[in-house]
């Protein structure tokens, strides 16, 4: 297989400003098919903005983003086609409150991808069963717990058969005891060969799921290392300091 | 046996006249309400535009309509315009016009508020699922907006129906005016007429507004 065919996501020289503030300052990142990359960094370092640029929710000033060889241009006509290749799950459980769980999942496959209802339903059933929520298919989002809603949001993104999944701090707003059920779903997904770019503050999870860790600081990628290397032996002081903040020792 | 006076309602064609009067009220308010709903939705969308001129225009319009008592607007439309420009609008036209102007302003503000209340992440997740603008509005934003709009819209509708009683003052004979006439004619034979006639008017207003409340309850339940 040629090298180009293996590349899922290719970001080159990405720059993004909000007014005078430089949010992303020349980001280069390549993710291969089937790879799981976890992006770490303190809040405000540009992680979320980077994800939003990748699926076209945010425009950028310089550089390029390619998904499977196709260039991302925010707001363009081709973007709606491209964003179907990119599944995204947000921090705030963002289900559509006026539709039940099943409709939440099948709406976009039916209306956007013009798939047959039965087909979308069958896939939704299979995915919902996998995350243990098939019984809730008739329920409305407000009847579900945070963890359940987030699992549905993952299923909703998966039902579009994306080629890459982006996760933006999806457990950050959850009660601690619900974090696990969501992370387990993501872990299973990673083991199934899905290409994933994950932003998280769950260090244990990052270590378990990631092939590679990308450490972002002030809009720049400071580290881009295999997960074990990053956690055991980060090369920059900034990354060392960052990892320290997650460690507690008795003095 | 002394009569209670309730018979006054059924003397001659009295009752039919009251119902006819109610029809005038309902006709004016329904027409104004329907026009207000349609134009109000457009005005609401117009108000959400970022354009500073659009904002200024809608702000002035909204404030003007809110500050002016409806009665003053009615007088301006019916008497003032005739004097100033020689346009001879008939009373019912003036009434529908004024109530539509008022309803559009109020409805527009409700639509604006409801649209604004839909959180940004609803748009984001729709776009992230590959929906274009049209699909996002059609399947995600508008259905949620309508649900939020329902209670205040019903409130506005019933307020408009009740406020149409003001049209008496520009010479339209609606249900209240008919009632007054019946009371005046029967003042000596039926001294208690006002109680019964106004009571009947109350019931008629109630019958006009109640179905709307029922419809709202039904929809709220269905949409939850």
């Amino acid at each position: 297989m040629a090298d180009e065919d293996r590349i899922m996501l290719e970001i080159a020289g990405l720059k993004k400003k909000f007014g005078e503030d430089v949010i992303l300052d020349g980001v280069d990142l390549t993710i291969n098919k089937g790879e799981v990359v976890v992006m770490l960094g303190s809040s405000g370092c540009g992680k979320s903005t980077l994800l939003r640029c990748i699926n076209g929710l945010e425009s950028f000033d310089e550089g390029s983003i390619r998904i499977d060889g196709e260039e991302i241009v925010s707001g363009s006509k081709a973007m709606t086609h491209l964003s179907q290749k990119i599944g995204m799950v947000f921090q705030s459980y963002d289900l559509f409150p006026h539709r039940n769980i099943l409709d939440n999942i099948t709406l976009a496959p039916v209306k956007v991808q013009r798939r047959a209802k039965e087909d979308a339903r069958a896939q939704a059933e299979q995915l919902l069963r996998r995350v243990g929520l098939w019984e809730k298919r008739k329920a409305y989002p407000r009847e579900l717990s945070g963890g359940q809603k987030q699992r549905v949001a993952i299923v909703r993104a998966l039902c579009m058969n994306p080629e890459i999944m982006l996760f933006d701090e999806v457990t950050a707003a959850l009660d601690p005891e619900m974090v696990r059920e969501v992370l387990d779903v993501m872990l299973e997904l990673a083991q199934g060969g899905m290409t994933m770019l994950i932003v998280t503050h769950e260090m244990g999870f990052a270590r378990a799921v990631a092939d590679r860790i990308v450490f972002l600081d002030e809009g720049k990628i400071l580290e881009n290392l295999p997960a074990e290397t990053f956690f055991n032996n980060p090369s920059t002081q900034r990354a060392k300091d960052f990892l320290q903040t997650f460690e507690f020792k008795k003095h | 046996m002394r009569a209670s006076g309730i018979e006054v309602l059924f003397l001659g064609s009295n009752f039919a006249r009251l119902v006819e009067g109610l029809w005038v009220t309902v006709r004016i308010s329904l027409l104004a309400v329907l026009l207000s709903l349609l134009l109000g939705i457009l005005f609401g969308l117009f108000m959400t535009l970022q354009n500073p001129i659009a904002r200024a225009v809608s702000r002035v319009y909204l404030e003007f309509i809110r500050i002016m008592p409806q009665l003053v607007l009615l007088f301006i439309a019916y008497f003032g315009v005739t004097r100033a420009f020689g346009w001879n609008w008939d009373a019912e036209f003036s009434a529908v016009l004024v109530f539509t102007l008022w309803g559009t302003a109020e409805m527009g503000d409700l639509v604006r508020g409801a649209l604004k209340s839909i959180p940004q992440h609803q748009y984001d997740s729709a776009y992230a699922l590959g929906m274009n603008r049209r699909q996002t509005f059609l399947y995600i934003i508008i259905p949620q907006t309508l649900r939020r709009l329902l209670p205040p819209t019903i409130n506005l509708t019933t307020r408009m129906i009740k406020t149409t009683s003001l049209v008496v003052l520009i010479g339209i004979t609606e249900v209240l005016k008919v009632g007054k006439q019946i009371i005046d004619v029967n003042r000596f034979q039926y001294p208690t007429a006002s109680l019964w006639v106004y009571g009947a008017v109350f019931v008629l207003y109630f019958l006009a507004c109640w179905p709307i409340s029922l419809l709202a309850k039904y929809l709220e339940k269905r949409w939850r």
Side-chain angles (χ1 to χ4, degrees):
Chain A
M1 201 158 56
D3 225 32
E4 293 211 336
D5 294 338
R6 289 182 42 225
I7 294 173
M8 185 70 241
L9 172 72
E10 192 176 17
I11 302 172
L14 191 73
K15 287 194 181 175
K16 164 82 185 170
K17 281 188 232 165
F18 282 124
E20 288 298 294
D21 294 333
V22 179
I23 308 295
L24 296 173
D25 193 7
V27 171
D28 299 291
L29 177 64
T30 305
I31 298 179
N32 290 326
K33 288 183 183 162
E35 208 177 6
V36 177
V37 174
V38 169
M39 190 155 45
L40 300 176
S42 45
S43 39
C45 72
K47 296 169 304 207
S48 293
T49 308
L50 181 58
L51 290 193
R52 292 173 63 85
C53 285
I54 293 172
N55 81 345
L57 288 176
E58 208 80 66
S59 61
F60 46 88
D61 303 305
E62 278 175 53
S64 69
I65 303 176
R66 287 168 178 279
I67 290 281
D68 213 5
E70 287 183 79
E71 187 148 358
I72 301 270
V73 183
S74 171
S76 70
K77 261 249 156 70
M79 197 53 231
T80 56
H81 158 71
L82 257 181
S83 55
Q84 294 170 39
K85 291 191 172 190
I86 310 163
M88 182 151 176
V89 185
F90 301 85
Q91 175 180 335
S92 51
Y93 351 106
D94 49 353
L95 300 180
F96 305 130
H98 61 297
R99 295 199 170 237
N100 69 27
I101 297 310
L102 195 59
D103 286 346
N104 256 279
I105 298 166
T106 57
L107 181 69
V110 171
K111 299 295 183 190
V112 177
Q113 296 183 323
R114 309 232 163 265
R115 283 161 58 188
K117 242 193 175 131
E118 303 75 57
D119 173 38
R121 261 168 194 269
Q123 190 184 1
E125 172 170 359
Q126 185 215 335
L127 289 166
L128 276 175
R129 284 190 191 281
R130 223 165 85 192
V131 301
L133 288 173
W134 176 241
E135 279 65 42
K136 297 281 186 190
R137 64 190 177 279
K138 295 273 183 232
Y140 281 81
R142 66 176 175 285
E143 301 167 52
L144 268 54
S145 73
Q148 290 173 329
K149 277 190 257 196
Q150 205 55 298
R151 279 183 281 161
V152 171
I154 294 173
V155 165
R156 184 174 67 178
L158 287 176
C159 208
M160 297 291 281
N161 297 314
E163 296 183 22
I164 180 171
M165 285 284 286
L166 311 177
F167 294 88
D168 189 5
E169 298 193 31
V170 292
T171 58
L174 293 178
D175 289 340
E177 61 265 38
M178 290 172 180
V179 169
R180 187 67 200 227
E181 62 190 52
V182 175
L183 295 184
D184 278 342
V185 170
M186 290 164 69
L187 209 54
E188 199 193 314
L189 204 56
Q191 282 156 0
M194 175 62 78
T195 312
M196 296 160 78
L197 177 54
I198 302 167
V199 169
T200 184
H201 288 300
E202 303 284 339
M203 289 302 135
F205 171 69
R207 205 163 180 158
V209 78
D211 297 320
R212 206 145 44 94
I213 300 284
V214 166
F215 181 69
L216 202 65
D217 191 53
E218 294 183 342
K220 287 193 181 100
I221 291 183
L222 290 192
E223 310 247 0
N224 187 348
L225 296 169
E228 277 313 304
T229 318
F230 176 81
F231 284 110
N232 295 330
N233 195 13
S235 55
T236 60
Q237 189 57 43
R238 185 71 193 84
K240 279 179 192 152
D241 293 344
F242 176 77
L243 284 174
Q244 276 267 267
T245 60
F246 291 91
E247 279 172 26
F248 296 92
K249 281 193 196 117
K250 251 185 166 173
H251 294 290
Chain B
M1 194 183 96
R2 245 180 79 95
S4 68
I6 194 171
E7 317 88 88
V8 71
L9 290 178
F10 306 103
L11 276 184
S13 58
N14 280 359
F15 194 72
R17 284 179 59 211
L18 276 175
V19 172
E20 242 173 80
L22 181 75
W23 172 236
V24 175
T25 299
V26 169
R27 190 169 62 204
I28 292 172
S29 37
L30 276 193
L31 200 56
V33 164
L34 285 179
L35 288 170
S36 301
L37 292 185
L38 289 173
L39 296 172
I41 288 171
L42 295 178
F43 180 54
L45 290 172
F46 181 73
M47 279 202 283
T48 59
L49 295 181
Q50 297 296 324
N51 185 318
I53 297 173
R55 291 196 157 190
V57 168
S58 43
R59 178 138 200 120
V60 168
Y61 170 50
L62 189 64
E63 292 299 323
F64 177 78
I65 296 288
R66 283 218 169 135
I67 288 165
M68 288 292 229
Q70 280 84 45
L71 188 58
V72 175
L73 288 173
L74 270 179
F75 283 171
I76 292 176
Y78 188 60
F79 301 115
V81 168
T82 311
R83 280 286 170 84
F85 306 105
W87 299 338
N88 222 339
W89 292 339
D90 78 37
E92 222 174 293
F93 177 84
S94 308
V96 170
L97 182 79
V98 164
F99 286 114
T100 302
L101 279 175
W102 170 46
T104 301
E106 296 278 357
M107 184 67 194
D109 204 34
L110 295 178
V111 170
R112 183 196 57 79
L115 271 175
K116 277 260 161 106
S117 74
I118 308 287
Q120 178 62 31
H121 62 68
Q122 287 288 315
Y123 291 85
D124 283 349
S125 40
Y127 292 142
L129 285 166
M131 291 191 205
N132 56 32
R133 267 186 81 79
R134 193 186 61 85
Q135 289 166 328
T136 301
F137 270 87
L138 201 58
Y139 302 125
I140 309 301
I141 306 304
I142 291 176
Q144 291 185 56
T145 307
L146 287 180
R147 283 164 173 75
R148 290 183 191 202
L149 267 179
L150 189 69
T153 305
I154 298 306
N155 184 16
L156 176 64
T157 304
T158 46
R159 246 167 75 215
M160 284 176 76
I161 293 177
K162 288 181 285 189
T163 312
T164 46
S165 56
L166 290 178
V167 299
V168 177
L169 297 163
I170 57 169
I172 296 177
T173 313
E174 46 67 87
V175 64
L176 208 58
K177 180 75 180 173
V178 174
K180 189 99 178 63
Q181 290 168 347
I182 294 174
I183 293 165
D184 286 346
V185 168
N186 299 288
R187 172 134 298 157
F188 297 111
Q189 294 98 313
Y190 299 96
T192 56
S194 58
L195 175 67
W196 295 109
V197 170
Y198 285 138
V201 169
F202 163 78
V203 171
L204 288 174
Y205 265 115
F206 177 76
L207 289 177
C209 293
W210 193 43
I212 297 167
S213 292
L214 284 182
L215 177 72
K217 261 210 190 100
Y218 166 76
L219 284 178
E220 263 183 79
K221 215 175 188 172
R222 230 193 84 179
W223 285 348
R224 281 190 299 177

